Amino acid sequence: MASASGDVESSLELSLTGSGALPGALPPARSRIFKIIVIGDSNVGKTCLTFRFCAGRFPQRTEATIGVDFRERAVTIDGERIKIQLWDTAGQERFRKSMVQHYYRNVHAVVFVYDMTNIASFHSLPSWIEECKQHLLANDIPRILVGNKCDLRSAIQVPTDLAQKFADTHSMPLFETSAKNPNDNDHVEAIFMTLAHKLKSHKPLMLSQPPDRDEIHIKPEPKPATSCWC
Ligand SMILES: Nc1nc2c(ncn2[C@@H]2O[C@H](COP(=O)(O)OP(=O)(O)OP(=O)(O)O)[C@@H](O)[C@H]2O)c(=O)[nH]1
Ligand SMILES: [Mg+2]
């Protein structure tokens, strides 16, 4: 995997307003926002993965996501300040119905997640890919496949070669990782940073787009406890 680097500046920012700015000072430059949606069956660990990347740790406990939560982290890549905005979507059909069109609007990249200890979540991947198709996602939008929970070694049901074949068929890179123990295999950090690097190099002129803040509930996240190389 290509190495990913970027300086962590801050985790979630709720507002773009410049409160506290000196009178007469120039307004801060707007940073580009990369909207990345994270999709997959319920319980595969989407909330934990996005929390790990944005808050720098594994959440103590999670509940099924209802609708969507979004988390942001500002990073600097090659001197440019970029906001990585992760849309942590609901895996349960009943909790996503009314939100699906928001997920796909102006999306820049998609992360498909399955649970390595649950073969059913792997078998659901074609239906998630189909949902993307139905929402007319452009072919050149980067997509990656993440097998989560690789820390549960004795319970693995999805062999790497099977997942790799699937990833190759759909022209996606595969990462096996753990939101809980990021020292296992690929770091969660590196996965999202690699995607951000890719977006930055592919979308040099992309404008920042504010999320649907009037429609989406924003949850604040705590700052990472440590500077984060998970
Ligand atoms: N061992 C282990 N458990 C994990 C990992 N990631 C998530 N979990 C656990 O898996 C369960 C589900 O995690 P969530 O992140 O809430 O799953 P989700 O995909 O967001 O589920 P929905 O919101 O219902 O779509 C929780 O009990 C987590 O603690 C991991 O990497 N390793
Ligand atoms: Mg969730």
Side-chain angles (χ1 to χ4, degrees):
M1 191 181 68
S3 81
S5 65
D7 303 328
V8 178
E9 287 190 343
S10 63
S11 60
L12 183 84
E13 294 176 16
L14 290 175
S15 160
L16 295 178
T17 56
S19 60
L22 293 171
L26 286 173
R30 287 187 70 186
S31 46
R32 290 197 287 174
I33 297 172
F34 293 154
K35 171 181 172 179
I36 300 173
I37 56 167
V38 182
I39 60 179
D41 276 8
S42 181
N43 217 43
V44 297
K46 300 179 296 298
T47 296
C48 293
L49 285 166
T50 55
F51 196 92
R52 159 70 66 190
F53 181 70
C54 293
R57 62 182 175 83
F58 190 70
Q60 273 169 350
R61 99 193 157 86
T62 57
E63 286 171 359
T65 303
I66 297 173
V68 67
D69 288 329
F70 66 92
R71 309 195 158 84
E72 280 183 1
R73 192 171 126 189
V75 297
T76 300
I77 300 177
D78 301 335
E80 182 186 351
R81 191 164 179 274
I82 284 169
K83 279 187 189 163
I84 300 176
Q85 186 180 80
L86 300 180
W87 286 52
D88 168 24
T89 69
Q92 286 189 47
E93 178 59 26
R94 65 191 167 129
F95 292 148
R96 49 187 288 116
K97 260 189 246 159
S98 58
M99 296 299 301
V100 177
Q101 76 271 25
H102 296 291
Y103 298 164
Y104 291 99
R105 202 155 81 194
N106 300 322
V107 71
H108 299 125
V110 183
V111 177
F112 296 95
V113 185
Y114 66 93
D115 175 349
M116 293 176 69
T117 69
N118 178 355
I119 191 85
S121 70
F122 179 74
H123 287 147
S124 295
L125 289 170
S127 64
W128 293 110
I129 291 172
E130 185 55 34
E131 185 181 271
C132 288
K133 265 193 202 144
Q134 279 168 9
H135 288 83
L136 307 174
L137 239 62
N139 281 337
D140 63 343
I141 283 188
R143 292 150 216 252
I144 61 170
L145 182 59
V146 174
N148 188 35
K149 308 194 188 181
C150 74
D151 57 292
L152 300 174
R153 286 191 182 78
S154 59
I156 301 292
Q157 292 183 359
V158 184
T160 301
D161 56 346
L162 180 66
Q164 190 60 61
K165 235 180 237 166
F166 183 87
D168 291 346
T169 305
H170 294 275
S171 309
M172 292 190 268
L174 167 71
F175 299 91
E176 292 180 334
T177 194
S178 163
K180 189 168 193 174
N181 182 359
N183 292 324
D184 278 337
N185 287 5
D186 294 305
H187 297 268
V188 173
E189 172 85 7
I191 292 172
F192 288 111
M193 287 306 295
T194 300
L195 202 47
H197 275 260
K198 195 168 179 177
L199 284 169
K200 184 179 184 302
S201 59
H202 283 199
K203 302 272 184 198
L205 298 174
M206 193 168 67
L207 298 171
S208 62
Q209 284 154 332
D212 305 331
R213 282 174 195 273
D214 48 339
E215 296 163 281
I216 310 291
H217 173 69
I218 307 173
K219 264 191 191 169
E221 302 289 5
K223 292 219 170 209
T226 57
S227 67
C228 180
W229 178 255
C230 307

